[in-house]
Amino acid sequence: MKAVGFYKYLPISDVNSLIDLEVSIPKLESNQVLIEVKAISVNPIDTKIRASKLQIKSFPRILGWDGAGTIVARGVKTNVFNTGDDVIFTGDISKNGSNCQYVALEELFVAPKPKNLTFEQAAAMPLTTVTAYEAIYDRLLLSAKDKGKSLLIINSGGGVGSVATQLAANLNLRVIGTVSRIETEEFSKKNGADVVIKHTHDLIPQLEVHGFSNGVDYILANYDPYPYWDVMMKAIKPQGKICLIVDSSGLVDIRPLKDKSITLVSEMMATRIKYDTEDKGRHHEILKIASKMFDDGILKSTLTKTLSPINAATLREAHKIIEEKRMVGKLVLSG
Amino acid sequence: MKAVGFYKYLPISDVNSLIDLEVSIPKLESNQVLIEVKAISVNPIDTKIRASKLQIKSFPRILGWDGAGTIVARGVKTNVFNTGDDVIFTGDISKNGSNCQYVALEELFVAPKPKNLTFEQAAAMPLTTVTAYEAIYDRLLLSAKDKGKSLLIINSGGGVGSVATQLAANLNLRVIGTVSRIETEEFSKKNGADVVIKHTHDLIPQLEVHGFSNGVDYILANYDPYPYWDVMMKAIKPQGKICLIVDSSGLVDIRPLKDKSITLVSEMMATRIKYDTEDKGRHHEILKIASKMFDDGILKSTLTKTLSPINAATLREAHKIIEEKRMVGKLVLSG
């Protein structure tokens, strides 16, 4: 089958950073389904792994853990899906991904494709939705009881930020998004942000202008927390909670957490899979819930850009756009 | 009335670091009760404020936010207690404390003295119990559903650690305490620790020996987290929670929190009072619950040492013992 992958960690400007490959169709294990890939999404995690210098044992390395397709075969021990089912899926980042024609996955990573979304619109959603859902529900522990509380979403125009905005708005929280550009401001409002401020300027006076002089109840930081650390310590209310989804680029002073008895929680979609936790079935459950939320119109696809066809050249272009932080919403490859 | 306080921040070896004073009985406000102090407890916070170099506006500074006594007068707007009631109390560390004959406090800081405890045994408890209760119930969000889960209590022989051990054992968690001395090992076991290990040695191999090779569900760090940071990151299970009650002496690398989606939460008893939070009544509620837990025999006093009389010389001796970390359990002054 066709695939896109690499043998060496190279900058995206290098023509060999992602190359067209011919590899065998993955051997289907008894607890896996085989999916014909129709559309794939590109996420920051893809560019980070491509740029990594870690030793990876088996080359070629094939990226991509987010997409949509159709089930073409199933292992004897699978019981959720049938061949012919259209599905969305994430994946296990410790293994090869879905930048290829066929991918074999445990049912844990798969959910029905929302019926009212195209393959491209659907492929844009799994990874960011699972991450945003875990951040909102499992890490910040938000629920309907938090109606009216305030949530500051730093970088609300990105992949996870734009789904988190929709989820929080659906819980009737007051969402303050941060963006740098006029396009992302409009996009964030469309996703349900009540207020959108600029992270290119000091956040504190902007929060004050919008009536948040006493701070916000929750913060979700979809960006390196290091440059925002001091401002987050100021902006958060006593007993507030902060969720991080991006690594800090520097060491931080955790002492200010104490004065206000603050909770700091980190979210990574891969945790349950990587550590084979007792509740790893939650991953599948969230994918299913999300799929239904799309069907019910509670969530809308955040797809904003589609490139085609799926090959090395297009994928290099996609990585370049992500690395240059030029995206608003999500980028998908199809065809 | 007699009081012990200071005009200058001085080392405890200096005879003027804490001095005997004669000051006026505090003016009772309408929402306060006046308490005749029978016994006071000394906590690390007293020594930290005494050693502070911050500018404090009104001298003399009188320390002590933990004690037991009898209500001798009440403001017209109070409605919980009557004169003659024996009570326990904490206090507001931004104001002068209870190292004196009479203290005026809002009812928020006061609860009935447990009937089966002496004034000395009772005075040992309020501050550490509120802190431990908040850490276990309000920060780590532990409850009866966590039966059988594991909690590592770093420095389980100190004031907060010894109450937290009792509270967690009462919730049927498996408590692993850490101590440095044989006296604290026995004390921790008496408080309900299932396993006691030495924080003078590497914790990881000791946890392995006791069957915690896969880590622990929760950690409560009653000590500077800086030297324990790496070991906590190793010892905590995926999706586990860590509660800190002591400031970190250095900057930390928060990146390892992400891989396991860890929650880090800080606890300070003063937060609700300092920030006048909507739920500040919780402070009084916890004091009342704790008092009943002592009455019901669920909690036992952690008093281990009583000095008397209450004067500057005895209080200097108490501060010295705390600063030299020689205490097991709690130290009280009376008489």
Side-chain angles (χ1 to χ4, degrees):
Chain A
M1 64 171 185
K2 289 180 186 170
V4 179
F6 63 90
Y7 289 90
K8 267 188 194 170
Y9 297 114
L10 293 166
I12 201 64
S13 55
D14 193 306
V15 74
N16 291 316
S17 59
L18 289 165
I19 53 178
D20 290 305
L21 301 164
E22 187 66 38
V23 298
S24 7
I25 290 180
K27 227 179 83 181
L28 191 62
E29 290 178 25
S30 60
N31 65 343
Q32 292 182 324
V33 290
L34 189 70
I35 301 167
E36 183 185 354
V37 177
K38 301 284 180 70
I40 53 170
S41 154
V42 185
N43 289 286
I45 184 75
D46 296 72
T47 66
K48 284 175 194 169
I49 293 183
R50 199 208 74 245
S52 167
K53 297 287 170 196
L54 290 176
Q55 190 60 45
I56 292 173
K57 284 173 193 167
S58 59
F59 283 93
R61 181 73 167 133
I62 295 168
L63 305 169
W65 298 278
D66 202 16
T70 304
I71 294 186
V72 293
R74 38 177 292 207
V76 290
K77 286 185 186 162
T78 62
N79 50 39
V80 180
F81 299 100
N82 288 310
T83 54
D85 286 354
D86 291 335
V87 294
I88 54 173
F89 54 84
T90 58
D92 180 345
I93 56 165
S94 72
K95 299 181 181 158
N96 272 347
S98 54
N99 290 351
C100 54
Q101 279 183 287
Y102 297 96
V103 63
L105 287 171
E106 289 176 50
E107 289 177 315
L108 175 63
F109 297 104
V110 185
K113 181 180 85 66
K115 289 176 189 57
N116 60 345
L117 299 189
T118 63
F119 278 103
E120 289 82 359
Q121 289 171 328
M125 303 316 300
L127 187 145
T128 54
T129 305
V130 173
T131 304
Y133 197 98
E134 287 185 340
I136 295 287
Y137 286 89
D138 298 359
R139 309 302 174 212
L140 292 172
L141 303 174
L142 297 174
S143 69
K145 72 171 176 9
D146 296 297
K147 183 178 170 172
K149 291 199 179 160
S150 49
L151 168 67
L152 172 65
I153 301 185
I154 296 175
N155 190 16
S156 58
V160 174
S162 50
V163 183
T165 303
Q166 295 186 45
L167 290 172
N170 182 53
L171 287 175
N172 296 303
L173 276 95
R174 295 162 71 200
V175 179
I176 307 111
T178 85
V179 300
S180 58
R181 293 170 290 163
I182 189 76
E183 309 94 90
T184 33
E185 181 171 347
E186 283 161 15
F187 184 68
S188 264
K189 284 191 176 157
K190 226 174 68 182
N191 284 315
D194 298 285
V195 172
V196 180
I197 58 179
K198 292 267 164 59
H199 52 236
T200 41
H201 295 69
D202 189 354
L203 297 182
I204 300 294
Q206 297 181 82
L207 287 170
E208 283 169 0
V209 163
H210 290 286
F212 299 96
S213 310
N214 293 327
V216 294
D217 297 295
Y218 301 97
I219 299 175
L220 172 60
N222 301 296
Y223 194 81
D224 176 5
Y226 186 69
Y228 288 101
W229 188 256
D230 292 346
V231 82
M232 291 198 295
M233 294 301 116
K234 276 185 209 154
I236 192 78
K237 276 190 187 172
Q239 306 185 86
K241 291 185 185 176
I242 300 169
C243 181
L244 310 179
I245 68 158
V246 180
D247 279 341
S248 175
S249 61
L251 301 182
V252 299
D253 182 0
I254 56 172
R255 286 175 302 177
L257 296 173
K258 190 181 162 198
D259 185 57
K260 295 187 190 169
S261 295
I262 300 305
T263 297
L264 182 74
V265 56
S266 275
E267 155 59 20
M268 187 170 79
M269 186 190 83
T271 297
R272 288 182 166 114
I273 309 303
K274 177 171 179 181
Y275 291 101
D276 192 24
T277 62
E278 277 176 28
D279 68 348
K280 75 173 176 176
R282 175 84 174 146
H283 191 101
H284 177 60
E285 191 192 332
I286 291 172
L287 271 176
K288 267 200 310 185
I289 293 169
S291 185
K292 188 164 182 321
M293 289 174 98
F294 285 106
D295 275 339
D296 295 347
I298 296 168
L299 286 179
K300 288 179 182 17
S301 176
T302 55
L303 176 69
T304 51
K305 193 177 183 73
T306 308
L307 300 175
S308 66
I310 303 179
N311 64 21
T314 320
L315 202 58
R316 282 198 305 274
E317 187 184 342
H319 275 235
K320 193 159 184 288
I321 292 169
I322 302 276
E323 286 184 0
E324 291 172 358
K325 299 189 194 301
R326 285 191 277 132
M327 273 308 293
V328 177
K330 288 284 298 171
L331 172 58
V332 161
L333 271 64
S334 71
Chain B
M1 67 171 182
K2 289 181 187 169
V4 179
F6 62 90
Y7 290 89
K8 270 187 195 171
Y9 297 114
L10 292 166
I12 201 63
S13 54
D14 192 308
V15 74
N16 290 316
S17 60
L18 289 165
I19 54 178
D20 290 306
L21 302 163
E22 187 67 35
V23 298
S24 6
I25 290 178
K27 229 180 80 180
L28 191 62
E29 290 177 24
S30 61
N31 66 343
Q32 291 183 325
V33 291
L34 189 70
I35 301 166
E36 183 185 355
V37 176
K38 300 287 178 69
I40 53 171
S41 154
V42 184
N43 290 287
I45 184 74
D46 297 71
T47 67
K48 284 173 194 170
I49 293 183
R50 201 207 73 246
S52 168
K53 296 288 168 198
L54 291 175
Q55 191 59 43
I56 291 173
K57 283 171 192 167
S58 59
F59 283 95
R61 182 73 167 133
I62 295 167
L63 306 169
W65 299 278
D66 202 18
T70 303
I71 294 185
V72 293
R74 39 178 288 209
V76 290
K77 286 186 185 160
T78 61
N79 53 36
V80 181
F81 298 101
N82 288 308
T83 56
D85 285 356
D86 292 335
V87 293
I88 55 174
F89 55 84
T90 59
D92 180 346
I93 57 166
S94 72
K95 298 180 181 159
N96 271 346
S98 56
N99 289 351
C100 53
Q101 278 182 290
Y102 298 94
V103 64
L105 287 171
E106 288 176 51
E107 290 178 317
L108 176 63
F109 298 104
V110 185
K113 181 180 85 68
K115 289 176 188 61
N116 60 347
L117 299 188
T118 63
F119 279 103
E120 289 81 0
Q121 288 171 328
M125 304 315 300
L127 187 147
T128 52
T129 304
V130 173
T131 303
Y133 198 98
E134 288 185 339
I136 296 287
Y137 286 89
D138 298 358
R139 308 305 173 209
L140 291 173
L141 304 174
L142 297 174
S143 69
K145 72 172 174 10
D146 296 298
K147 182 178 172 176
K149 290 197 180 162
S150 48
L151 168 66
L152 172 65
I153 300 183
I154 295 175
N155 190 16
S156 58
V160 174
S162 50
V163 183
T165 302
Q166 294 185 46
L167 289 171
N170 182 52
L171 287 175
N172 295 305
L173 277 94
R174 296 162 69 200
V175 179
I176 307 112
T178 85
V179 300
S180 58
R181 292 170 292 165
I182 189 78
E183 309 94 271
T184 34
E185 180 170 347
E186 282 162 13
F187 185 67
S188 264
K189 284 191 175 157
K190 225 174 69 183
N191 284 316
D194 297 286
V195 171
V196 180
I197 59 179
K198 292 268 164 56
H199 51 237
T200 40
H201 295 68
D202 188 353
L203 297 183
I204 300 293
Q206 297 181 82
L207 286 170
E208 283 169 1
V209 162
H210 290 286
F212 299 96
S213 310
N214 294 327
V216 295
D217 297 293
Y218 301 97
I219 299 176
L220 172 60
N222 302 293
Y223 193 81
D224 176 6
Y226 186 69
Y228 288 102
W229 188 257
D230 293 345
V231 81
M232 289 198 295
M233 294 301 115
K234 274 185 211 157
I236 193 74
K237 277 189 188 173
Q239 307 185 86
K241 292 184 183 176
I242 300 170
C243 182
L244 309 179
I245 68 159
V246 179
D247 278 340
S248 174
S249 61
L251 301 181
V252 299
D253 182 0
I254 56 173
R255 285 175 303 178
L257 296 173
K258 190 180 161 200
D259 184 59
K260 294 185 192 170
S261 295
I262 298 306
T263 297
L264 182 74
V265 55
S266 274
E267 155 59 21
M268 186 168 80
M269 186 188 83
T271 296
R272 289 184 167 111
I273 309 303
K274 177 171 179 182
Y275 290 99
D276 193 24
T277 61
E278 278 175 28
D279 68 348
K280 74 173 176 177
R282 174 84 174 147
H283 191 103
H284 177 61
E285 191 192 330
I286 291 171
L287 271 176
K288 268 199 311 186
I289 292 168
S291 186
K292 187 162 183 320
M293 288 176 99
F294 285 107
D295 276 339
D296 295 347
I298 296 169
L299 287 179
K300 289 181 180 19
S301 175
T302 54
L303 176 70
T304 49
K305 191 176 184 74
T306 308
L307 300 174
S308 65
I310 302 178
N311 65 19
T314 320
L315 203 56
R316 284 198 301 275
E317 186 183 342
H319 275 233
K320 193 159 185 287
I321 292 169
I322 301 277
E323 288 184 358
E324 292 173 356
K325 300 188 193 301
R326 283 191 278 132
M327 272 307 295
V328 177
K330 290 283 298 168
L331 171 60
V332 161
L333 271 64
S334 71

